[in-house]
């Protein structure tokens, strides 16, 4: 999976996705497909994106018993995604089985999809974590703990806020990916994201990949907006 900014294709169907990608006239992009689009269009959508030369992060956040996740990952590896994910809270064995499923499902001659873990969802705050999950710790401690578990289970990285990226790097390794959503260009609308950073700051504070949605997908000029993101992301600091 290349390290260019990942565009979140949060569209309801293939038609809307096609209209959006049409702006880019054949440029090869890194894109993220989430539950909405995947549940509507299924594996043929991944084939189609791959045929166009895009790198695909399939963001389905699997969380189930180890054997079920193993079987599902075997199928997702065959679908040709470049990166997939699970919830770290599913446990070490589940993460190991996810990895085994990917290894076994990857067709000969292809690279195994990268596997990353969600630690605590950014929609979970400390109070909710303590009261509902009964984790009597700071939220950041829980995030770091899950990142360490994912690292030990052999995963390639985690989804995290840019603000957590450098602590995760320290707790794991520089090669362990920190994939960061919540990116906005300076002076832009925040939508429902709360703690946002711009692409150059994300890089400076330790993100290894960024995910950006609405500032590009809902822009009047998506190509311009995307180019701004790339330029900031690649800026020498
Ligand atoms: O439109 P926006 O840039 O906010 O989109 C960010 C994308 O990243 C969305 O697809 C969203 O679901 C996803 N995401 C997130 N925060 C997380 C994990 C994923 O915003 N912690």
């Amino acid at each position: 999976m290349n390290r260019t900014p990942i565009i979140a294709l949060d569209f309801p169907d293939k038609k809307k996705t096609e209209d959006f990608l049409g702006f880019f006239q054949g440029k090869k992009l890194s894109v993220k497909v989430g539950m909405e689009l995947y549940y509507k269009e299924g594996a043929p959508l991944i084939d189609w994106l791959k045929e166009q030369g895009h790198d695909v992060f399939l963001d389905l956040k699997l969380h189930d018993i180890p054997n079920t996740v193993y079987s599902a990952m075997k199928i997702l590896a065959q679908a040709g995604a470049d990166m997939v994910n699970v919830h770290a809270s599913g446990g070490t064995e589940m993460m190991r089985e996810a990895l085994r499923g990917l290894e076994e499902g990857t067709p000969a001659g292809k690279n195994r999809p990268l596997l990353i873990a969600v630690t605590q969802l950014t929609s979970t705050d400390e109070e909710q974590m303590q009261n509902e999950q009964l984790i009597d710790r700071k939220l950041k401690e829980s995030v770091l703990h899950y990142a360490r578990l994912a690292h030990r289970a052999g995963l390639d990285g985690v989804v995290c806020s840019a603000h957590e990226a450098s602590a995760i790097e320290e707790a794991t390794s520089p090669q362990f990916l920190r994939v960061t959503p919540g990116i906005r260009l300076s002076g832009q609308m925040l939508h429902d994201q709360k703690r946002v950073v711009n692409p150059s700051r994300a890089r400076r504070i330790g993100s290894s990949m960024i995910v950006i949605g609405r500032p590009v997908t809902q822009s009047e000029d998506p190509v311009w907006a995307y180019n701004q993101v790339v330029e900031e992301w690649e800026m020498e600091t």
Side-chain angles (χ1 to χ4, degrees):
M1 178 107 198
N2 80 56
R3 302 288 177 98
T4 53
I6 301 167
I7 304 177
L9 297 177
D10 292 325
F11 296 111
D13 55 31
K14 182 179 173 191
K15 170 78 179 65
K16 293 242 159 46
T17 309
E18 212 168 357
D19 290 347
F20 170 76
L21 290 173
F23 288 117
F24 291 87
Q25 296 184 332
K27 187 174 170 59
K28 296 187 187 344
L29 303 165
S30 294
V31 297
K32 177 170 92 72
V33 174
M35 292 184 199
E36 182 189 17
L37 186 56
Y38 191 77
Y39 290 154
K40 171 80 173 137
E41 303 289 353
L45 183 94
I46 308 302
D47 287 340
W48 173 73
L49 289 167
K50 293 302 298 173
E51 278 162 26
Q52 325 275 308
H54 303 306
D55 275 6
V56 180
F57 168 21
L58 188 53
D59 180 20
L60 298 180
K61 302 186 179 71
L62 274 64
H63 187 171
D64 209 316
I65 59 170
N67 185 57
T68 300
V69 171
Y70 159 79
S71 312
M73 284 300 184
K74 228 169 143 175
I75 300 289
L76 292 186
Q78 289 158 16
D82 299 282
M83 183 157 80
V84 293
N85 58 2
V86 292
H87 274 281
S89 55
T92 302
E93 194 195 338
M94 186 205 76
M95 290 192 272
R96 289 210 178 104
E97 286 298 282
L99 197 55
R100 193 167 71 87
L102 289 176
E103 276 159 2
E104 290 182 14
T106 302
K110 300 264 184 190
N111 292 329
R112 164 180 72 72
L114 294 172
L115 176 61
I116 60 177
V118 174
T119 55
Q120 288 287 353
L121 290 168
T122 43
S123 53
T124 304
D125 61 22
E126 193 161 277
E127 196 188 329
Q128 187 191 351
M129 182 191 84
Q130 292 174 348
N131 293 339
E132 296 187 11
Q133 300 178 31
L134 287 184
I135 297 176
D136 198 12
R137 297 289 179 107
K138 292 275 173 214
L139 184 71
K140 189 167 174 186
E141 266 182 82
S142 171
V143 167
L144 287 179
H145 174 63
Y146 279 139
R148 278 193 203 97
L149 289 185
H151 184 239
R152 269 186 236 138
L155 271 63
D156 302 293
V158 284
V159 182
C160 67
S161 140
H163 301 283
E164 297 154 353
S166 69
I168 291 172
E169 180 178 1
E170 254 171 59
T172 58
S173 83
Q175 289 73 37
F176 192 66
L177 299 171
R178 285 89 54 201
V179 180
T180 300
I183 301 294
R184 292 294 176 270
L185 291 164
S186 317
Q188 267 192 333
M189 252 176 83
L190 302 188
H191 303 103
D192 53 355
Q193 298 281 13
K194 294 193 179 94
R195 296 199 308 150
V196 303
V197 297
N198 62 41
S200 60
R201 179 156 164 74
R203 180 175 210 128
R204 265 200 318 277
I205 63 178
S207 299
S208 23
M209 294 186 198
I210 51 173
V211 177
I212 187 156
R214 287 161 293 181
V216 175
T217 56
Q218 293 182 11
S219 167
E220 288 191 357
D221 188 346
V223 177
W224 177 86
Y226 172 74
N227 287 338
Q228 288 294 111
V229 174
V230 172
E231 196 177 304
E232 275 205 33
W233 173 244
E234 290 176 350
M235 200 185 283
E236 291 302 324
T237 49

